[in-house]
């Protein structure tokens, strides 16, 4: 995924309504550089419903259809079918949803679309809570994190839902994770998904300074730390069975990642050690999955 | 866009039979609403609805009763595709999603613009009364079938007008015939178009009568039947003082028989004016539980 040339053409303009240091803004900018202008975005309720700008403005150079929270997968399926009926098989329909609209509220419509192997791209930009509505926990919020609905006296108990595994279980042609800390990786993967047919799932790690209680200038550093600590590995899964996992050149501790964030400030050293142990175990499991590739039929 | 809504009761409790509370609870979303009596009318209304919706750029909900229409068989006359195309030419949308002219649809609209957009929906929806009338007239010219936006049945010289919608109308026709045979001056008014609400037509048709009995297969809790409410409001606004009797019947698929409608006609004939806002017909009082 290296040696990718990032296109100069900008399909996202300034004047959008993202917060300072918003990771979701980077996600959109580089996704569109990879996807190019022949794309239509389908947007359920999420931060980007607001970031794009109010009527009659839009900060994007591609058409955009706002839809209800739970319907990104089904709306995208319908728009794709409409384009095909009109004879347009070239334009990509891209569902662009946050983690709430993917992990929780939109899961049914997404699962339906994936099971039918609809010819759409589904993107989840993940900031690990309902940030747009005031930092309520979602199924993507990691255990231990503070949110307004999991206050420090009762931080989130349950681990982050393994969303990619759920998509992989649908045996879709391509599922991948990427991160705003690696724009070359993002652009290359979005160029790549355009060449694959069927349901494609892209999970982007996009930190949120407002909800994570972090300084805006740490957004990209945090995203990089998440990957380097094995907390958010960059990987690709083909046809639900072949796993390819990027190994970070330098490995950092979970503590380095956690200590920059206000949402984890209440954690004790033993809590962070527990997180580290869980991350290590997940990483081992991932490598084990990758090691099974050789025995798979091809 | 045309949405066919099969009228089913809403919970609680769970019920799969017919009443109109599902569609009438959506009466103010900006869709046209047309209530149909037969499957032929449903089929024909699909064409009317597309013709009107494509001009107004507002969706139409055509409404049919659960089970009475949705789960029964009726012979429906289907025209040739060429004939249908002559009535309803191919649609060329003014606005659509295309990378050639990027546009955001349905984005966040602040109070400085939302107000005007809602005003436009109200203004445009009102045009639907004349367009639905034209849709029906054009249809009659081509296919020989017409329903009107409101249908009048034996309303000439009627002292009492019974107002219905949906499949109850078919039963009511029989009752009206029987009443007329017995020398009663009773007529029937079938409400077909409900949104936009054809207030002028309602007033013109009801004005000559002495009493009106509205049969609602729906309930606006604490205020009565929804058709009755809107008819009363239209008459009041026009300065027409008519006793409007509101009857609730058929909710959740309770059978509305000729006897039910005879009971409604008899009760209305024997009273000068309603002494209640709403009359629930056929409530089994022995089944009622008392609230604490």
């Amino acid at each position: 995924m290296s040696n990718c040339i990032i296109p100069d053409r900008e399909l996202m303009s300034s004047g959008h309504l993202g917060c300072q240091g918003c990771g979701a803004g980077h996600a959109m900018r580089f996704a569109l550089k990879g996807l190019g202008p022949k794309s239509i975005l389908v947007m359920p309720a999420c931060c980007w419903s607001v970031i794009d700008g109010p009527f009659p403005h839009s900060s994007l150079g591609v058409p955009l259809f706002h839809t209800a929270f739970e319907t990104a997968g089904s709306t995208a399926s319908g728009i794709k079918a409409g384009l095909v009926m009109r004879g347009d098989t070239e334009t990509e329909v891209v569902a662009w949803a946050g983690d709430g609209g993917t992990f929780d509220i939109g899961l049914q419509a997404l699962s339906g679309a994936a099971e039918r192997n609809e010819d759409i791209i589904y993107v989840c930009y993940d900031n690990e809570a309902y940030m747009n509505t005031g930092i309520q926990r979602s199924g993507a919020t990691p255990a231990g994190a503070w949110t307004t609905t999991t206050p420090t006296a009762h931080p989130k108990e349950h681990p982050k839902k393994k969303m990619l595994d759920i998509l992989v279980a649908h045996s879709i042609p391509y599922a991948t994770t990427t991160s705003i800390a690696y724009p070359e990786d993002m652009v290359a993967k979005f160029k790549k998904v355009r060449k694959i047919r069927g349901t494609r799932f892209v999970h982007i790690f996009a930190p949120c300074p407002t909800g994570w209680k972090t300084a805006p200038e740490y957004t990209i550093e945090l995203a990089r730390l998440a990957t380097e600590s094995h907390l958010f590995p960059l990987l690709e899964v083909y046809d639900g069975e072949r796993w390819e996992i990027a190994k970070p050149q330098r490995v950092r501790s979970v503590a380095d990642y956690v200590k920059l964030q206000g949402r984890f400030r209440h954690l004790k050293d033993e809590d962070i050690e527990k997180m580290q142990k869980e991350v290590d175990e997940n990483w081992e499991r991932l490598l084990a999955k990758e090691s099974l590739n050789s025995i798979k039929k091809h | 866009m045309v949405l066919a809504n099969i009228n089913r009761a809403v919970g609680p409790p769970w019920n799969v039979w017919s009443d109109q509370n599902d569609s009438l609870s959506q009466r103010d979303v900006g869709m046209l609403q047309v209530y149909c009596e037969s499957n032929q009318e449903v089929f024909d209304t699909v064409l009317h609805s597309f013709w009107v919706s494509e001009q107004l750029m507002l969706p139409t909900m055509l409404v049919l009763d659960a089970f009475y229409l949705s789960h029964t068989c009726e012979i429906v006359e289907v025209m040739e595709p060429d004939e249908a195309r002559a009535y309803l030419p191919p649609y060329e949308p003014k606005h659509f999603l295309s990378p050639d002219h990027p546009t955001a649809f349905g984005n966040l609209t602040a109070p400085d613009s939302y107000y005007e957009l809602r005003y436009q929906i109200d203004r445009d929806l009102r045009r639907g009364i004349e367009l639905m009338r034209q849709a029906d007239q054009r249809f009659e010219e081509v296919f020989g079938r017409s329903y009107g936006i409101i249908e009048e049945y034996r309303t000439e010289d009627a002292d009492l007008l019974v107002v219905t919608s949906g499949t109850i109308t078919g039963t009511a026709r029989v009752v009206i015939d029987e009443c007329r045979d017995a020398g009663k001056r009773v007529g029937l008014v079938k409400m077909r178009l409900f949104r936009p609400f054809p207030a002028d037509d309602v007033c013109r048709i009801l004005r000559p009568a002495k009493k009106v009995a509205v049969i609602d297969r729906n309930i606006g809790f604490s205020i009565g039947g929804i058709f009755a409410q809107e008819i009363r409001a239209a008459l009041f606004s026009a300065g027409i003082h008519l006793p409007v009797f509101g009857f609730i019947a058929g909710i959740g698929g309770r059978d509305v028989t000729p006897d039910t409608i005879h009971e409604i006609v008899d009760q209305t004939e024997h009273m000068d004016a309603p002494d209640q806002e709403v009359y629930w017909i056929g409530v089994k009082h022995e089944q009622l539980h008392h609230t604490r």
Side-chain angles (χ1 to χ4, degrees):
Chain A
M1 279 296 160
S2 55
N3 304 324
C4 166
I5 294 165
I6 296 180
D8 289 334
R9 182 165 180 187
E10 296 286 356
L11 287 164
M12 177 180 153
S13 67
S14 57
H16 62 78
L17 302 183
C19 302
Q20 273 192 359
C22 172
H26 292 274
M28 178 66 85
R29 182 177 173 219
F30 290 104
L32 288 181
K33 279 175 180 283
L35 287 166
K38 280 271 182 195
S39 310
I40 291 173
L41 296 181
V42 174
M43 203 165 290
C46 60
C47 284
W48 254 101
S49 314
V50 176
I51 296 171
D52 183 55
F55 172 87
H57 304 292
S58 171
S59 56
L60 299 180
V62 296
L64 171 57
F65 189 85
H66 292 269
T67 190
F69 221 144
E70 69 282 13
T71 64
S74 47
T75 306
S77 304
I79 290 175
K80 180 67 189 184
L83 288 175
V84 171
M85 279 191 76
R86 291 174 71 96
D88 178 356
T89 53
E90 192 189 350
T91 300
E92 287 284 7
V93 179
V94 184
W96 184 270
D99 47 284
T102 303
F103 287 58
D104 303 341
I105 299 176
L107 183 56
Q108 181 201 0
L110 167 57
S111 174
E115 187 271 331
R116 298 188 303 270
N117 197 24
E118 296 284 352
D119 192 16
I120 58 169
I121 300 167
Y122 190 104
V123 180
C124 172
Y125 67 98
D126 181 4
N127 51 29
E128 301 196 317
Y130 292 85
M131 298 311 187
N132 185 34
T133 50
I135 324 172
Q136 292 85 7
R137 61 90 94 187
S138 77
T141 304
W146 164 91
T147 65
T148 54
T149 48
T150 51
T152 47
H154 306 280
K156 188 165 181 269
E157 289 175 34
H158 307 287
K160 184 181 177 105
K161 194 185 283 187
K162 292 187 171 64
M163 195 63 213
L164 191 95
D165 289 7
I166 293 173
L167 268 298
V168 167
H170 289 73
S171 300
I172 53 174
Y174 185 69
T176 187
T177 59
T178 185
S179 163
I180 60 149
Y182 303 91
E184 297 91 343
D185 187 71
M186 266 199 291
V187 171
K189 281 175 175 163
F190 277 102
K191 282 183 173 177
K192 183 174 183 171
V193 292
R194 272 204 88 106
K195 295 182 185 130
I196 301 170
R197 298 266 63 84
T199 304
R200 294 139 282 167
F201 180 72
V202 182
H203 186 178
I204 309 178
F205 196 74
C208 168
T210 308
W212 293 12
K213 304 295 170 203
T214 53
E217 63 268 31
Y218 284 137
T219 297
I220 291 169
E221 172 72 8
L222 280 164
R224 187 174 295 114
L225 277 165
T227 294
E228 289 182 340
S229 65
H230 295 158
L231 204 132
F232 191 86
L234 303 191
L235 53 86
E236 295 172 284
V237 189
Y238 298 87
D239 302 318
E241 54 182 26
R242 187 159 54 88
W243 294 67
E244 289 184 8
I245 294 145
K247 322 291 183 299
Q249 287 171 349
R250 120 184 125 143
V251 177
R252 305 280 293 271
S253 72
V254 171
D256 289 347
Y257 170 74
V258 164
K259 283 182 174 168
L260 284 174
Q261 303 177 51
R263 64 173 174 159
F264 292 123
R265 190 177 296 137
H266 55 280
L267 294 185
K268 299 184 184 73
D269 285 346
E270 58 261 38
D271 299 324
I272 298 170
E273 277 165 32
K274 201 178 143 202
M275 278 175 86
Q276 179 72 58
K277 194 163 166 279
E278 227 172 87
V279 166
D280 290 343
E281 283 169 9
N282 282 338
W283 178 250
E284 289 304 317
R285 277 194 203 98
L286 259 189
L287 297 180
K289 280 178 185 168
E290 192 181 39
S291 72
L292 292 174
N293 288 345
S294 54
I295 63 162
K296 292 271 161 54
K297 60 185 189 302
H298 282 300
Chain B
M1 187 180 85
V2 176
L3 180 144
N5 178 68
I6 294 166
N7 264 149
R8 276 193 166 181
V10 290
W14 188 49
N15 173 294
V16 296
W17 291 270
S18 190
D19 76 42
Q20 299 168 327
N21 265 72
D22 59 347
S23 56
L24 289 173
S25 68
Q26 304 301 305
R27 64 186 167 171
D28 298 325
V29 295
M31 297 178 86
L32 293 87
Q33 284 198 357
V34 187
Y35 288 80
C36 297
E37 179 187 350
S38 68
N39 283 334
Q40 184 70 58
E41 187 180 342
V42 169
F43 182 83
D44 296 346
T45 304
V46 171
L47 275 83
H48 301 168
S49 300
F50 274 110
W51 190 75
V52 174
S53 279
E54 288 172 4
Q55 294 177 73
L56 287 183
M57 293 194 283
L58 288 171
T60 298
M61 179 191 290
L62 70 92
V63 187
L64 57 148
D65 288 350
F67 290 89
Y68 302 113
L69 294 182
S70 67
H71 286 55
T72 52
C73 291
E74 285 183 347
I75 292 171
V76 171
E77 198 176 302
V78 180
M79 68 280 287
E80 292 298 319
D82 285 346
E83 294 177 304
R85 265 192 288 275
Y87 176 81
L88 185 67
Y91 178 48
E92 288 301 328
K94 279 187 188 165
H95 308 285
F96 51 91
L97 288 160
S98 168
D100 298 334
H101 41 86
T103 313
F105 284 71
N107 52 349
L108 182 70
T109 304
D112 67 341
S113 307
Y114 183 88
Y115 193 79
E116 281 67 29
L117 287 166
R118 302 302 277 190
Y119 168 78
Q120 286 184 70
I121 292 175
D122 184 45
R123 185 196 62 189
D124 292 352
L125 196 73
R126 285 166 188 271
R127 288 178 53 216
I129 296 170
E130 284 317 308
L131 283 173
M132 270 295 174
R133 205 191 311 275
Q134 285 175 32
D136 182 63
Q137 285 164 356
R138 285 185 67 237
F139 196 87
E140 186 181 22
E141 286 163 19
V142 183
F143 302 108
R145 288 190 294 276
S146 168
Y147 306 92
I149 55 172
I150 300 175
E151 185 196 333
E152 296 175 66
Y153 181 70
R154 304 190 74 170
T155 53
E156 66 285 353
D157 305 326
D159 292 331
L160 167 60
L161 289 175
V162 177
V163 181
T164 59
S165 60
T167 55
I168 288 176
T169 311
T171 311
R173 280 177 210 279
V174 176
V175 174
I176 298 300
D177 287 344
E178 290 170 1
C179 289
R180 284 283 182 176
D181 290 348
K184 295 180 181 178
R185 283 156 60 145
V186 182
L188 177 66
V189 176
K190 170 183 148 190
M191 294 293 296
R192 188 161 167 271
L193 182 64
F194 181 73
R195 279 290 182 271
F197 192 77
D200 291 346
D201 294 79
V202 167
C203 291
R204 176 179 52 77
I205 293 164
L206 298 185
R207 187 192 290 269
K210 295 195 173 77
K211 293 177 200 169
V212 176
V214 182
I215 306 178
D216 271 294
R217 195 193 277 273
N218 63 78
I219 177 64
F221 291 119
S222 81
I223 192 72
I226 293 167
F227 279 88
Q229 282 180 57
E230 304 232 352
I231 287 167
R232 284 190 187 114
L235 294 172
F236 182 85
S237 300
I240 301 168
H241 300 287
L242 259 182
V244 175
F245 293 71
F247 293 95
I248 305 298
I251 285 186
R254 179 73 61 88
D255 211 4
V256 178
T257 65
D259 285 347
T260 317
I261 297 171
H262 272 299
E263 187 184 338
I264 287 167
V265 170
D266 291 347
Q267 184 180 332
T268 312
E269 282 193 320
H270 287 108
M271 295 176 78
D272 293 330
D275 57 357
Q276 288 173 218
E277 196 159 40
V278 62
Y279 299 99
W280 284 72
I281 296 296
V283 172
K284 297 175 193 165
H285 289 276
E286 68 279 10
Q287 282 190 14
L288 301 182
H289 298 276
H290 294 285
T291 48
R292 284 194 293 170

